[in-house]
Amino acid sequence: MKFERQKAVMLAETINEFIKYVRKSHENKNSFRYNIDKLYQVKLLVEEYKFQIIADELLRINKYSWDGKYTYYLIDGFKRGIDVIDDYVKNNYEELYLLTAKLYTLKDLLQLFNSMDTETYV
């Protein structure tokens, strides 16, 4: 179960980095990289789906031992939020194209927790 813990911790750290990136990019209002209004919507979606709480809880519960049931519960909530953000970025690709790399990384990490692992907590 050590491998599952490491995967969960890695996902939580990547979520934290995504949150920091969105916040920092939004605070930098002089940036020509993003449409500020569209980026603000992404920031609101991150807050609405409580990504910070999910990341903190994933780190807390998987720091010393593996809790599969609660981990997969948190990952399901994160997956719902990242799907909404991914659709929003795809619909506004010209203004938010730089976020696609971060989203790709997060979705790739979520693939580690797919069907084969869901048997462990049922």
Side-chain angles (χ1 to χ4, degrees):
M1 293 297 164
K2 185 176 179 181
F3 183 63
E4 286 83 6
R5 277 190 326 110
Q6 290 174 341
K7 290 190 304 187
V9 168
M10 187 169 58
L11 177 64
E13 291 170 350
T14 308
I15 294 169
N16 274 331
E17 292 300 319
F18 177 72
I19 294 167
K20 288 177 189 174
Y21 181 76
V22 170
R23 285 181 184 161
K24 186 176 179 183
S25 296
H26 181 259
E27 290 170 2
N28 187 8
K29 302 247 188 242
N30 298 355
S31 176
F32 293 108
R33 295 177 285 184
Y34 296 107
N35 180 337
I36 297 299
D37 296 331
K38 306 276 184 186
L39 189 62
Y40 183 66
Q41 182 65 34
V42 172
K43 182 180 176 210
L44 290 177
L45 288 170
V46 166
E47 292 171 3
E48 179 182 343
Y49 285 98
K50 299 176 173 70
F51 281 8
Q52 188 66 58
I53 294 171
I54 290 172
D56 291 343
E57 281 296 300
L58 277 173
L59 281 174
R60 184 185 67 81
I61 65 171
N62 291 299
K63 191 170 190 175
Y64 300 110
S65 67
W66 169 248
D67 184 1
K69 188 174 183 178
Y70 192 45
T71 298
Y72 282 104
Y73 173 75
L74 292 170
I75 288 172
D76 288 341
F78 176 69
K79 195 177 292 189
R80 283 191 296 273
I82 205 69
D83 288 342
V84 171
I85 291 173
D86 188 43
D87 286 341
Y88 184 76
V89 169
K90 283 179 183 176
N91 291 336
N92 299 290
Y93 181 77
E94 286 134 10
E95 292 92 1
L96 299 171
Y97 67 92
L98 290 174
L99 286 178
T100 56
K102 300 275 185 193
L103 291 173
Y104 178 79
T105 304
L106 287 169
K107 290 188 318 186
D108 194 43
L109 284 172
L110 282 174
Q111 294 299 318
L112 296 174
F113 293 97
N114 266 350
S115 63
M116 192 169 61
D117 291 337
T118 55
E119 299 168 356
T120 57
Y121 81 98
V122 173

